[in-house]
């Protein structure tokens, strides 16, 4: 009787394939954030990821498609915290948690923030469709959550869009201008005390302008 060697489990192959794709995206992020789309070569990315160029192109058929895949992953990571905003939460808890997570992202994903910022400065030529569809829909959804808090009297009247832009800009400043902050203060978010002070001060400033006086004084 002929012995047949069973094929590797589909789940195992899928996991190995996804791990390989993630190594490629991680390598691409490191090089794109340093050299930009034009300056980073596929050969260098493949070498850093530990795969052949042919294997890289199997997963990402062009450098532009790889670049967009990296940007989409950054955007998804950046937007995960705002997806958690829930009308059933108190605004103090929801916004406070959102600020803390956003500062954590600025601490832990400096390269991603730098690359995303560069893409925005350049007019988002490869990401505009995502911004005008998925991002816009998500911001509108969470704006309605903020409007609900305002209607209940839990927040003072504010344009939800500008509140979201404010939190984005303030928290990501600590990644995009980390060199400037370190030059001035001599500290970075890697310092736990400085991290906590950053979260505390941003939260106090933002909520201090949002909470009705009775709540703010509690």
């Amino acid at each position: 009787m002929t012995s047949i060697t069973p094929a590797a489990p589909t789940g195992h192959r899928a996991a190995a394939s996804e791990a390989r794709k993630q190594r490629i995206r991680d390598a691409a992020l490191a090089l794109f954030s340093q050299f930009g789309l034009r300056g980073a070569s596929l050969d260098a990315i493949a070498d850093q990821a530990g795969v052949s160029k042919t294997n890289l192109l199997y997963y990402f058929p062009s450098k532009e498609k790889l670049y967009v895949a990296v940007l989409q992953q950054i955007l998804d990571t950046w937007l995960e915290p705002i997806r958690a905003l829930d009308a059933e939460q108190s605004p103090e808890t929801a916004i406070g948690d959102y600020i803390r997570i956003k500062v954590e992202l600025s601490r832990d994903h400096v390269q991603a923030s730098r690359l995303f910022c560069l893409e925005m400065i350049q007019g988002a030529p490869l990401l505009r469709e995502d911004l005008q569809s998925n991002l816009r829909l998500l911001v509108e959804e969470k704006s309605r959550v903020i409007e609900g808090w305002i209607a209940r009297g839990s927040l003072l009247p504010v344009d939800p869009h500008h509140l979201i832009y404010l939190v984005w800009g303030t928290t990501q400043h600590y990644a995009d201008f980390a060199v400037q902050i370190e030059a001035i203060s001599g500290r970075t978010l890697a310092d736990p005390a400085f991290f906590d002070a950053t979260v505390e001060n941003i939260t106090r400033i933002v909520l201090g302008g949002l909470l009705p006086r009775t709540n703010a004084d509690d």
Side-chain angles (χ1 to χ4, degrees):
M1 183 175 181
T2 304
S3 175
I4 299 176
T5 302
T10 301
H12 177 75
R13 289 199 302 269
S17 177
E18 182 53 41
R20 194 174 299 112
K21 288 171 65 177
Q22 188 59 52
R23 288 205 311 274
I24 294 170
R25 286 191 292 260
D26 289 342
L29 169 60
L31 294 175
F32 285 145
S33 67
Q34 184 175 0
F35 301 109
L37 174 60
R38 293 184 180 181
S41 70
L42 286 179
D43 288 309
I45 294 170
D47 183 62
Q48 182 151 325
V51 300
S52 68
K53 184 177 178 180
T54 299
N55 196 230
L56 183 155
L57 290 171
Y58 171 79
Y59 293 109
F60 304 99
S62 70
K63 184 162 67 169
E64 288 73 18
K65 288 187 181 297
L66 174 56
Y67 184 77
V68 170
V70 171
L71 287 172
Q72 287 174 332
Q73 185 172 53
I74 292 171
L75 185 59
D76 190 56
T77 300
W78 249 235
L79 295 179
E80 189 59 35
I82 199 173
R83 292 189 180 101
L85 290 183
D86 190 323
E88 299 305 314
Q89 295 175 293
S90 71
E92 298 99 313
T93 298
I95 295 172
D97 288 348
Y98 182 46
I99 290 171
R100 172 170 285 275
I101 295 171
K102 286 286 290 157
V103 177
E104 288 176 352
L105 289 173
S106 288
R107 179 193 63 195
D108 300 337
H109 299 275
V110 176
Q111 289 180 330
S113 186
R114 183 186 303 131
L115 180 59
F116 191 78
C117 181
L118 178 62
E119 177 68 11
M120 295 303 102
I121 289 172
Q122 294 175 340
L126 297 177
L127 202 60
R128 183 172 292 272
E129 184 176 341
D130 281 300
L131 299 179
Q132 293 177 333
S133 55
N134 297 332
L135 178 59
R136 177 179 289 180
L137 290 173
L138 179 60
V139 170
E140 292 304 323
E141 176 189 337
K142 297 309 174 181
S143 291
R144 289 191 291 273
V145 171
I146 296 170
E147 288 168 349
W149 289 330
I150 294 170
R152 296 204 307 261
S154 300
L155 286 183
L156 294 174
V158 63
D159 184 310
H161 293 83
H162 289 295
L163 172 57
I164 292 169
Y165 303 154
L166 174 67
V167 174
W168 285 352
T170 304
T171 55
Q172 286 175 226
H173 177 88
Y174 288 85
D176 300 335
F177 290 84
V179 172
Q180 175 178 275
I181 290 172
E182 185 175 10
I184 294 169
S185 67
R187 306 172 78 182
T188 72
L189 293 177
D191 176 348
F194 185 69
F195 173 88
D196 289 340
T198 299
V199 173
E200 179 184 350
N201 280 278
I202 294 174
T203 303
R204 184 186 303 137
I205 292 166
V206 172
L207 290 180
L210 288 173
L211 297 178
R213 181 55 55 188
T214 54
N215 289 348
D217 290 340
D218 289 344

